[in-house]
Amino acid sequence: MQTGFLLLVLTLLSSADVGQCVSSCTAAPSQWCSSVASAIQCGVLKQCLEANFTRSHYHQDDRSVQLELYYESLCPGCRGFLTQMLFPTWTMLQDVLNVTLVPYGNAKESFDGKKYVFTCQHGEEECLGNMIETCLLTLAGSSAFQVIYCMESSTDVIKSAEACLNLYQPTLKWASVVSCVDGDMGNKLMHLNALKTGALKPAHHYVPWVTINGEHTDVLQNEAMNALLPLVCSLYQGPKPDACGSSQRKPYRSYCHND
């Protein structure tokens, strides 16, 4: 673990603009990736994000089921799966189900010499929705999924974003999300979504596209779309949560008798 950390610090030192860091960075190198703000101040946001992207390819050392959803913010099928199947299942099984959301889907990217430019399947509004949700995943912490669920279950995904944020993560200012969406941070975060989507094996042919424990098959996709909760329960190798209807559960013997 420490070897990997030292390699990361050495990589940051070698690839960062040292002159810029000396003039604007007040954090020690070991703290450069401790927060998004520190990474920006020290000029190493891209390197920190790429380091996290690399680590995300490895499963946590536990028995949790790892599910990744590749989707688009305005895709009707994606919205239906996220709000009607994935979020309810995660709510009941969040102790054993780890969900990673990747808002990008069938978008395309190009580079204009200064920043990445994105074209989305359902137009500019979808690109904005993807960007808002990408920034939320970085800034809103453990509340991000709830905020995104609120957005995706609303009539208007974009217009509901600020209200959903105020409801589920009131300590995060909407202005901070807008700054991410309009700035360099959001652009680089979306580029990483593009890289992650482009690295899928097999390549995705549609969205929503689901991988479970790093694997995608037609069988897993169909089971996830139709009966995600029993699928997760069957894959989890630890003691089954109550929501799985464990066969080890004690018989229920409580009645309300008629007087």
Side-chain angles (χ1 to χ4, degrees):
M1 191 76 170
Q2 287 198 346
T3 301
F5 173 76
L6 289 173
L7 286 173
L8 173 58
V9 171
L10 288 172
T11 301
L12 294 176
L13 284 169
S14 63
S15 58
D17 185 336
V18 177
Q20 178 183 357
C21 290
V22 171
S23 61
S24 63
C25 181
T26 58
S30 61
Q31 298 300 310
W32 286 357
C33 293
S34 62
S35 70
V36 172
S38 294
I40 293 173
Q41 185 184 46
C42 298
V44 292
L45 177 63
K46 181 175 183 292
Q47 291 83 1
C48 291
L49 293 174
E50 288 176 345
N52 287 332
F53 168 70
T54 301
R55 285 198 295 272
S56 72
H57 282 74
Y58 298 92
H59 297 325
Q60 298 173 355
D61 187 21
D62 60 24
R63 294 170 295 190
S64 296
V65 176
Q66 310 293 317
L67 185 149
E68 293 185 347
L69 173 64
Y70 296 80
Y71 73 105
E72 301 165 346
S73 62
L74 297 188
C75 161
C78 300
R79 296 180 66 186
F81 175 71
L82 189 151
T83 60
Q84 298 173 32
M85 184 68 72
L86 180 57
F87 186 82
T89 300
W90 174 80
T91 300
M92 290 184 285
L93 298 178
Q94 56 188 283
D95 289 340
V96 303
L97 174 62
N98 182 51
V99 172
T100 299
L101 301 177
V102 186
Y104 186 79
N106 298 322
K108 307 294 182 185
E109 75 166 354
S110 58
F111 189 69
D112 67 2
K114 294 183 179 179
K115 66 181 187 301
Y116 295 97
V117 179
F118 304 98
T119 304
C120 297
Q121 185 173 20
H122 299 95
E124 292 183 6
E125 283 285 290
E126 181 169 82
C127 280
L128 177 57
N130 290 350
M131 189 68 80
I132 291 172
E133 294 182 4
T134 294
C135 288
L136 286 169
L137 288 165
T138 295
L139 300 175
S142 59
S143 300
F145 197 3
Q146 288 95 325
V147 180
I148 290 171
Y149 164 76
C150 176
M151 291 172 58
E152 293 293 341
S153 59
S154 301
T155 302
D156 192 310
V157 173
I158 309 300
K159 291 182 179 179
S160 66
E162 183 175 1
C164 289
L165 178 66
N166 291 335
L167 177 64
Y168 286 103
Q169 182 57 286
T171 59
L172 175 61
K173 302 300 182 184
W174 177 245
S176 298
V177 178
V178 172
S179 178
C180 171
V181 168
D182 293 339
D184 191 51
M185 182 197 305
N187 193 255
K188 289 178 178 177
L189 287 169
M190 188 59 69
H191 173 57
L192 290 182
N193 283 356
L195 291 178
K196 191 165 188 177
T197 303
L200 283 168
K201 293 183 180 180
H204 83 286
H205 303 298
Y206 49 79
V207 288
W209 185 269
V210 177
T211 71
I212 297 181
N213 293 334
E215 181 181 8
H216 175 92
T217 66
D218 290 342
V219 171
L220 281 174
Q221 178 79 25
N222 289 334
E223 290 188 21
M225 295 294 291
N226 293 298
L228 181 59
L229 190 144
L231 174 61
V232 173
C233 288
S234 68
L235 292 174
Y236 179 63
Q237 298 302 306
K240 303 299 182 184
D242 288 344
C244 290
S246 172
S247 60
Q248 298 177 357
R249 182 183 301 174
K250 294 180 179 179
Y252 197 64
R253 291 289 185 269
S254 179
Y255 301 96
C256 294
H257 292 279
N258 187 9
D259 292 335

